[in-house]
Amino acid sequence: MERPGAQRLDLGKTRRIALPPGMAMRPQRIRTYLVLFALALSLPLLCVSVFGLYRMASTEESQTDNRLVAFAKNLAVDVDKELDRAMVTLEALANSSELSSGDLRGFHKLALTAFKPKKAAIALLDKSYRQLVDTLSDYGAPLPATADPATAKRVIETGRPQISGVFKGSINGLYVFNVEIPVFDAERQVQYVLIMSFQASYISDILKQIHYPPGWISGVTDQNGIILARSDRPEEYVGTPLPTELFERTAKAGDHVYRAFNVAGLPILRSTARSKHAGWYVSLGAPLSFVEAPRWRSFAIGAAALGTAVVLGWALAYYFGLLMARPLDEATRIAKSISRSQIIKPATTSLVEANILVATLVKASADLRSQTDHSTYLMRELAHRAKNQLAVVKGMAVQTARRSPDVSQFIAQFDRRIQGLAQSQDVLLRQNWRGAWLFDLVRAHLEIFGISDRVRLEGPNLLLNAAAVQNLGFALHELATNAVKHGALSVTTGEILIRSSRLGEGAVLSWIETGGPAAHDPSQKGFGYRVITELVPRALNGSAQLEFADSGIRWRQDIPSPNILSGDIHDR
C-alpha cells in the first residue's frame, strides 16, 4: 500500500533527452567515459615516459645504493686488514725473547728497530696500567700514565685483544687509537699489555687513498660515536662526536642506505658497515643532489610527456566531457525542482549513472514527505519523554528536600542526583533510547566518583530496557555515594564487587563491599535508603535485600525478565 502523497516511479513513461546531432548512442556507464578520458591523457605519457622514468631513475638510484653499500663494506674490510697487521706484529713482539726474559731495555730497542711504521708507536703496560716502555720516548725517561686505561683493563680481564676508540695521546697530544693484546707469563696469567698506538690520521690517510665519485665522503666513527677518521677535512672533525640523531641512525642502519645530514649539515645518502675487529662504524655518504640527479632528469622527461599528453588528449577529453556534462546538467535541473516541490518526471539520458541519479531523486522527493511525517512523530515522542523526565526530577527534588536540613545541603544532594540521572540518560542515548548495557551503566555512575579502579565486574552483561536503566541508575548512584562517604571506598583498603547472574528468565544484581568499615543499620533512614530498598524494587517489580555486614554493605536486587531485552544477554 502506498503512503498518501507518495509518487510512483513509472519508468515506462520516461522521456528521452535530446542530444546534439551525431552524438546519439545507447547509454553507457560513466566509468566507460572516464576510462576513455584517462586513456586519451595517459597513453602519450606512458609511451614517452615509462622507459625514462623507470629505467633511468629507478635503475640509477638502485645502482647508487648498491655502490654505497659495497664501498662501505670494502672500507670496513680495509680497516680490518690494517688492524690485522697490527695484531700480527704485536703477537710477534709479545713472543720475543727480550720480553720473555724481562729485558725491557732490549725490548725497547727491538721495538724501535724491528717496527718503524709511520704515525704509530709501541707501548708496554704492567697490570697496574703503568707505562714501562713507549717508543715515543727514550728508555728510562719518565712516562705519563696511560690515557686509555679502560681498554687495558678489558685486555687484562678478558685475556683477549682489544681495540680502543679515539682519544688524545698522553705524550704527543694527538688523537690516537690503540690496538692492545695480552702478554702471558709462564702460568698463562696476563703479565703485560702490549699496545700499538696509531694516530687517527693513519686511518684518514687510508680513506683518502680511495677514489670516490665527486662529493662522496667516507668516515670512521668509534663505538662511542666519536669521529675517528674522515676522508674530507679530518683535522676539523676528528675527535668530535657525531650528532646524536645521526649516530643513532648509524648504529641501527645495518647494511641499508638511509637519508641523513652529515656533520657539516649537508643532506646525504649514507651507508654504514661495521668493523669486525674494532666494532667501529665505517660510513660512506653521497650528496643527495648527486643521488637525486636521475630523478630530476626523469621529472624533466615526465614534464615533456605531460605536455604532450595535454596537447594530444585535450580534444578527446573535451568530447567525452560533453557526453557526461549534458546528462548531469539534466540531473541537476531535476534536483533543483525538488526544492520547489515540483512534480518530477523520470528522464532517460545517455549516461547510466545519470539515469540512476534521476530515479533516486524522484524517489527522494517522495521520501521527503515521509521523513517530514517521521520528524513530527519524533518531536511528539521527545515531548513525551521530556514530561516523564520532569516528573522524575520533581519527585527527586521533593524527596531530597524532605530530608535536607538546609538549602546548601539540599542543593549539593540534588545536584549529585541530577548528575546521576544525566549519566543514565547518556548511556541510554548510546543505544538510541532502546536500552543500555548493564556494565556501561555501572561504569558511567562510578566515573563520577573516580572509583572505577577499585571495582570489579563479574557475570554476564545484560541489555536492560530504558525503565530498568533509569531505576538501577538511581540505586547505583546512592550506593556509590554511600560507599565513598561511609563505606568501603572511604578507606584505602576497601573494594567493591558488582556481580550479575542469571536467575531463571531474569537476573540478579549484587553490590558487595569488602575491606571497609563495619556497616550498621541506620537509625534514621533517608531518601537513599528508600531508593535501594523500596523505590527501585517496586519500579522493577522485583525484590531487594540490604545487609549490613562487618566488611560493608551487601545489596541484592532481583531483575525480572521483562526488564531484560529478549535475546540480548552476552558475556562481557
Side-chain angles (χ1 to χ4, degrees), residues 223-509:
Q223 309 93 319
N224 301 315
I226 306 300
I227 299 174
L228 188 146
R230 200 169 187 265
S231 62
D232 179 63
R233 294 183 292 171
E235 66 283 351
E236 182 177 343
Y237 294 105
V238 170
T240 62
L242 278 183
T244 302
E245 181 179 357
L246 181 58
F247 180 59
E248 289 177 355
R249 297 198 63 186
T250 299
K252 297 177 182 178
D255 293 337
H256 302 291
V257 296
Y258 53 96
R259 296 192 177 201
F261 289 90
N262 64 12
V263 291
L266 301 176
I268 59 171
L269 190 67
R270 200 165 192 252
S271 177
T272 301
R274 198 81 184 267
S275 166
K276 180 178 65 175
H277 294 316
W280 298 338
Y281 299 97
V282 182
S283 302
L284 184 64
L288 208 56
S289 57
F290 177 90
V291 178
E292 293 182 342
R295 185 178 301 174
W296 286 112
R297 288 196 299 269
S298 299
F299 287 162
I301 295 174
L306 182 61
T308 303
V310 170
V311 173
L312 295 180
W314 180 83
L316 287 175
Y318 178 77
Y319 176 74
F320 295 139
L322 285 178
L323 295 179
M324 291 183 290
R326 291 181 181 274
L328 294 176
D329 289 343
E330 178 64 15
T332 301
R333 183 192 63 79
I334 292 175
K336 291 180 179 179
S337 299
I338 295 177
S339 63
R340 296 193 291 267
S341 301
Q342 296 178 350
I343 298 176
I344 301 174
K345 296 181 179 180
T348 300
T349 70
S350 61
L351 193 62
V352 171
E353 282 77 5
N355 294 340
I356 295 174
L357 178 59
V358 170
T360 303
L361 290 173
V362 171
K363 183 177 181 301
S365 65
D367 289 343
L368 282 176
R369 182 172 299 176
S370 175
Q371 292 177 4
T372 301
D373 295 340
H374 183 62
S375 297
T376 302
Y377 165 78
L378 290 179
M379 292 298 293
R380 292 173 181 171
E381 182 67 15
L382 178 61
H384 173 70
R385 290 188 182 274
K387 291 178 182 178
N388 289 342
Q389 292 298 318
L390 289 174
V392 171
V393 172
K394 178 181 178 181
M396 188 184 302
V398 171
Q399 294 296 331
T400 303
R402 288 176 180 174
R403 290 166 175 81
S404 298
D406 52 46
V407 174
S408 60
Q409 187 173 352
F410 165 77
I411 292 174
Q413 292 180 354
F414 186 64
D415 180 67
R416 286 195 299 270
R417 285 169 177 150
I418 287 295
Q419 290 183 23
L421 178 62
Q423 291 295 104
S424 298
Q425 303 306 306
D426 289 341
V427 175
L428 282 171
L429 188 60
R430 298 174 197 167
Q431 301 289 336
N432 294 322
W433 290 89
R434 178 168 171 254
W437 294 102
L438 172 60
F439 290 143
D440 288 347
L441 178 66
V442 171
R443 293 188 188 98
H445 281 277
L446 296 183
E447 284 174 357
I448 299 177
F449 301 91
I451 57 175
S452 57
D453 57 333
R454 296 171 63 186
V455 177
R456 279 189 302 121
L457 304 178
E458 292 183 358
N461 199 3
L462 310 177
L463 184 61
L464 306 174
N465 63 23
V469 169
Q470 289 185 343
N471 286 285
L472 284 176
F474 292 143
L476 290 170
H477 177 80
E478 298 299 334
L479 288 167
T481 300
N482 182 76
V484 171
K485 288 184 176 181
H486 312 292
L489 299 182
S490 65
V491 296
T492 58
T493 58
E495 292 184 351
I496 297 176
L497 169 63
I498 300 178
R499 177 190 297 143
S500 66
S501 56
R502 295 302 307 274
L503 181 63
E505 295 296 324
V508 174
L509 178 64

